[in-house]
Amino acid sequence: MKKSRIGVLTGGGDCAGLNPALKWVVKTAMDERLESERGVRYEVLGIHDGWKGLVDIDPATWDGTGNITPLNPDIVRTWDRYGGTMLGTSRYSPYDPQNECSNLVIENIQKLGLEAVIVLGGDGTLAIATRLSREGINVIGIPKTIDKDLPETDYTLGFETALNVIVEEVDRLRTTAGSHKRIFVIETMGRNAGWLALEGGEACGAYIILIPEFDFSFERVNELVMEGRRSGTRYEIVIVAEGAKPVGGTEIVKNEETDSFGRKTLGGIGEILAQEIEKGTELETRSVVLSHLQRGGAPCAYDRRMGRYFGIAAVDLIVNQRYGNMVAFKNGEITSVPLENIYGKLNLVDPRTQYDIDRYNGRRTILDSGK
Ligand code: F6P
């Protein structure tokens, strides 16, 4: 029987759903029944800490370095129950101009004898996979990010679990907000995409939702808050995406430094907004930043299922030698798209069709796309 060795890594921010996908990559690749059907026996190496794990190794003694672990169905049996990533992750780019080492990564992939590498990542990690693919490395992508901002797929692992965190935390905040007649501003993650804020806000029934794709006015927010109070509400829940900004303003960054993917860390708009609301309405207002809570915890049922489907599909792509593709979920089906089609692109909320620009909320009409 032909033997083949594949690698798998998780890069960028962690999220729930990675471990279920890892489990199903390993189980599918090493399934004995499928082995005889395919005529190939796969070996799966887990690469630790994202792309960094392919820099810092000695391929001659790869099993002794700690960055590479051979995986098997026994090892991954319970992984789908856990959040985060058992392989570890990093925001490390071998194409970082400050520390370019893509040749070393390519050399190590070859020395490890990997026929292909399955890469679980968001836009930064998958952009690296695309560039390596251009240089002749066989890669398969699996979309993950709580931001849900990857194009060509209706789902990215981690998103639903993060939404559940938002709903749970807002439910908790409602009791204290109501007791004190306070306004709560809740800042969600999502970088420059509003999906988490919009769909999280819709799911928890937020009164106001502010997204990066539509600049808001402080005056309009205050007007809406006062309108709510006049109609008899005791408290308001305002969800603001970390990348949202007021008209004429810029997004708020935590610090000016960029990471290896060239990105700044966003955060802080929630507190600024809370102060503006309190000033403008004279109503007691507090802000809460949900931050990394949205990435933590056990994967919800949907992420376990999607992780499973994506993991299986990634191995199917390898079996069929359809390298350079990302598995995707489109119109209710598991499918695949060329990595080149997503390179450098983002999937953002379309405020014209998916947002109520007057009431700063989700829409209350479902557009008939057939017309
Ligand atoms: O891309 C996922 C994400 O959680 C974003 O929503 C957020 O802006 C960023 O990562 C935070 O990054 P870090 O984990 O490096 O603080």
Side-chain angles (χ1 to χ4, degrees):
M1 180 161 332
K2 186 189 153 201
K3 285 192 181 161
S4 172
R5 186 181 284 162
I6 59 179
V8 61
L9 66 84
T10 53
D14 74 314
C15 64
L18 292 171
N19 286 324
L22 291 172
K23 167 174 170 168
W24 283 96
V25 161
V26 175
K27 273 180 76 78
T28 311
M30 300 182 83
D31 184 313
E32 280 173 19
R33 187 176 46 92
L34 294 174
E35 236 170 41
S36 46
E37 258 175 42
R38 299 167 186 148
V40 185
R41 173 157 299 157
Y42 287 104
E43 192 185 341
V44 184
L45 299 187
I47 299 156
H48 292 257
D49 301 340
W51 296 112
K52 201 166 194 290
L54 281 170
V55 174
D56 230 357
I57 55 167
D58 174 3
T61 59
W62 54 265
D63 49 350
T65 60
N67 273 335
I68 308 290
T69 308
L71 300 173
N72 64 48
D74 274 347
I75 294 176
V76 300
R77 191 172 51 84
T78 61
W79 283 17
D80 50 348
R81 301 172 208 165
Y82 301 104
T85 162
M86 296 293 190
L87 290 181
T89 186
S90 66
R91 291 194 197 279
Y92 180 94
S93 170
Y95 291 103
D96 185 344
Q98 315 288 330
N99 186 22
E100 155 75 50
C101 59
S102 55
N103 284 341
L104 181 59
V105 165
I106 291 170
E107 215 175 279
N108 283 341
I109 290 173
Q110 284 158 354
K111 283 188 185 160
L112 286 168
L114 300 178
E115 177 191 331
V117 183
I118 297 179
V119 180
L120 288 78
D123 57 337
T125 304
L126 293 180
I128 295 164
T130 312
R131 292 178 70 175
L132 288 171
S133 163
R134 288 175 192 163
E135 298 196 51
I137 298 296
N138 296 332
V139 293
I140 299 294
I142 294 185
K144 71 88 217 172
T145 165
I146 64 165
D147 306 342
K148 211 180 75 170
D149 57 358
L150 283 170
E152 304 277 344
T153 181
D154 297 338
Y155 195 66
T156 60
L157 296 178
F159 182 72
E160 281 292 324
T161 304
L163 283 192
N164 287 337
V165 172
I166 295 172
V167 171
E168 245 173 60
E169 298 304 334
V170 169
D171 279 353
R172 223 166 250 132
L173 289 169
R174 280 180 187 280
T175 59
T176 170
S179 305
H180 286 267
K181 291 181 101 176
R182 280 175 176 159
I183 296 157
F184 264 89
V185 175
I186 296 123
E187 181 181 306
T188 58
M189 280 185 164
R191 226 182 270 283
N192 298 107
W195 298 112
L196 260 188
L198 179 62
E199 295 184 34
E202 287 172 341
C204 74
Y207 181 57
I208 293 175
I209 304 170
L210 303 174
I211 59 173
E213 293 86 346
F214 190 81
D215 292 353
F216 65 89
S217 108
F218 287 119
E219 292 71 31
R220 182 65 185 143
V221 170
N222 290 341
E223 231 171 71
L224 288 166
V225 167
M226 291 314 291
E227 194 185 303
R229 286 302 160 109
R230 281 195 298 275
S231 73
T233 55
R234 276 185 72 81
Y235 70 93
E236 274 76 32
I237 296 292
V238 178
I239 303 277
V240 61
E242 62 181 2
K245 56 185 191 312
V247 179
T250 50
E251 58 194 21
I252 310 298
V253 294
K254 270 198 197 142
N255 61 51
E256 290 296 327
E257 271 173 40
T258 53
D259 62 19
S260 182
F261 293 169
R263 291 187 298 217
K264 292 179 186 168
T265 310
L266 299 177
I269 184 65
E271 181 51 27
I272 293 173
L273 179 62
Q275 286 175 17
E276 288 295 326
I277 294 175
E278 191 161 281
K279 214 164 52 183
T281 64
E282 295 180 357
L283 294 168
E284 242 192 317
T285 308
R286 296 284 189 269
S287 74
V288 171
V289 184
L290 291 184
S291 188
H292 295 82
L293 287 173
Q294 293 156 104
R295 297 223 306 254
C300 67
Y302 193 71
D303 273 316
R304 292 184 201 201
R305 243 172 11 99
M306 293 307 283
R308 175 183 178 126
Y309 303 151
F310 281 174
I312 293 171
V315 175
D316 283 349
L317 288 176
I318 290 184
V319 171
N320 294 307
Q321 306 199 330
R322 303 223 3 251
Y323 306 124
N325 282 296
M326 175 186 84
V327 299
F329 183 61
K330 263 181 159 180
N331 304 322
E333 278 181 19
I334 301 291
T335 175
S336 65
V337 294
L339 277 165
E340 286 293 350
N341 289 11
I342 65 158
Y343 185 78
K345 295 184 194 143
L346 284 181
N347 168 31
L348 301 176
V349 174
D350 180 354
R352 285 175 311 123
T353 55
Q354 293 165 316
Y355 188 63
D356 183 336
I357 58 171
D358 177 43
R359 306 216 45 96
Y360 293 167
N361 211 305
R363 290 185 67 94
R364 289 198 187 178
T365 51
I366 306 289
L367 299 179
D368 182 352
S369 55
K371 283 189 182 162

